[in-house]
Amino acid sequence: MSIQTIEDTKVKAFPAKPAAELVAFTAKSRRRIDPLAIAGKVATALVPPAVVIALLLVVWQVACSSPTASLPPPSQVWNEAYDLIAHPFFDNGPQDIGLAWRVLISLQRVAIGFGLAAVVGVAFGALVGQSIWAMRGLDPVFQILRTVPPLAWLPLSLAAFRDSSPSALFVIFITSIWPIIINTAVGVRNIPQDYRNVALILRLNPFEFFVKIMVPAAAPYIFTGLRIGIGLSWLAIVAAEMLTGGVGIGFFIWDAWNSSRLPDIIVALAYIGVTGFCLDRLVAGVGAFVTRGTTAK
């Protein structure tokens, strides 16, 4: 075999990629491992909120530094509540635990109540979205009940369950279920007719239609409702714990108010805000993954 034949064989076995493809591949590889680009994205995400928070702290410090101020400045909060800030996981007994443990206890209740609301809300939303008669009959009821404040349900739940724990779970459930139902119903009603026609052609039974057509098509709407619901559930548990007691973050705020510990309340509010933000980002991330980025972030 001649050298020319060997070279021709190499060319046929390993055809050269076009120059444009090689350039694009190289550029893509560099983008994946470019530390400057990663640092730029991190700075873009972190620097603006950090600057705003710093400005707010300065304004707060200046506004509350007067001896006649009714609220403590950040420096006083840091000095008086340093143990809560620096040691969030201390455990000195059943009622003397760090704020991180209190948040976790509240999150356990939120997980149960919100999980039940998600399951029941998606099921009811699918029913209302599929049936025009269910929409006409149930939608007015949903619109009335969703305007009831969370704490207004607490006396009724205490009378029904006669225990603070299931009462708090009921308040979370009844507060967070309405946006899930409404958004799911809207998503089901907006399923393209072509999808329904395909289901008829394939002769899918109701369960298969729900799993293979309805849920994927309405997923962006469903996760929008779930994001609203998780925020309302976190709001509801904090409010309910103020009245039902226990060791959750809500009861800690009420107990600190009764003891006139304003710095402790401010630190607890920061924990609540950060936890609520993380819950919203978690649901939004799951929604973006499931719906391949079609949900609003």
Side-chain angles (χ1 to χ4, degrees):
M1 183 180 292
S2 64
I3 296 177
Q4 183 62 37
T5 304
I6 295 175
E7 293 296 331
D8 292 341
T9 305
K10 288 183 179 180
V11 171
K12 292 179 181 179
F14 304 97
K17 291 185 177 181
E21 291 185 10
L22 291 176
V23 172
F25 177 79
T26 305
K28 186 176 181 180
S29 301
R30 290 178 179 175
R31 283 198 300 268
R32 288 180 178 176
I33 59 174
D34 189 358
L36 294 178
I38 297 175
K41 291 181 179 179
V42 173
T44 302
L46 297 181
V47 171
V51 171
V52 172
I53 292 174
L55 291 175
L56 290 176
L57 289 175
V58 171
V59 173
W60 178 13
Q61 179 70 34
V62 173
C64 297
S65 295
S66 173
T68 59
S70 57
L71 294 177
S75 57
Q76 182 180 346
V77 173
W78 176 264
N79 292 329
E80 296 185 9
Y82 175 79
D83 289 338
L84 291 176
I85 300 172
H87 306 287
F89 288 99
F90 73 85
D91 188 352
N92 297 328
Q95 292 292 335
D96 189 11
I97 57 177
L99 287 182
W101 293 119
R102 295 182 183 273
V103 168
L104 290 175
I105 292 172
S106 298
L107 285 176
Q108 290 178 356
R109 295 172 176 171
V110 169
I112 298 173
F114 176 72
L116 292 174
V119 174
V120 176
V122 171
F124 264 96
L127 172 64
V128 173
Q130 278 289 98
S131 173
I132 187 65
W133 292 105
M135 171 67 74
R136 292 174 180 175
L138 295 176
D139 185 65
V141 178
F142 294 159
Q143 297 299 334
I144 293 173
L145 294 179
R146 75 180 182 87
T147 60
V148 178
L151 289 183
W153 293 103
L154 189 57
L156 186 63
S157 62
L158 286 172
F161 297 105
R162 300 183 183 275
D163 190 4
S164 60
S165 294
S167 299
L169 296 178
F170 175 78
V171 171
I172 297 171
F173 173 85
I174 203 69
T175 303
S176 60
I177 193 174
W178 310 119
I180 301 174
I181 292 177
I182 294 171
N183 281 274
T184 301
V186 173
V188 171
R189 291 175 61 189
N190 283 277
I191 295 177
Q193 186 60 40
D194 292 342
Y195 292 5
R196 301 179 185 273
N197 295 337
V198 170
L200 292 175
I201 294 173
L202 297 177
R203 297 183 180 181
L204 300 180
N205 59 46
F207 178 76
E208 291 175 334
F209 177 76
F210 177 80
V211 173
K212 297 181 179 180
I213 301 295
M214 188 183 299
V215 172
Y221 294 89
I222 294 174
F223 276 97
T224 299
L226 292 176
R227 287 185 64 183
I228 300 173
I230 193 66
L232 292 176
S233 65
W234 184 237
L235 180 150
I237 185 56
V238 172
E241 286 177 345
M242 288 184 178
L243 301 181
T244 58
V247 292
I249 191 68
F251 177 74
F252 174 84
I253 292 177
W254 187 248
D255 183 63
W257 164 252
N258 291 329
S259 303
S260 299
R261 304 194 310 269
L262 291 182
D264 291 0
I265 295 176
I266 293 173
V267 174
L269 292 178
Y271 271 81
I272 292 172
V274 172
T275 303
F277 174 79
C278 293
L279 289 175
D280 178 79
R281 292 291 88 193
L282 176 62
V283 176
V286 174
F289 175 78
V290 172
T291 62
R292 295 176 176 83
T294 57
T295 55
K297 295 182 179 181

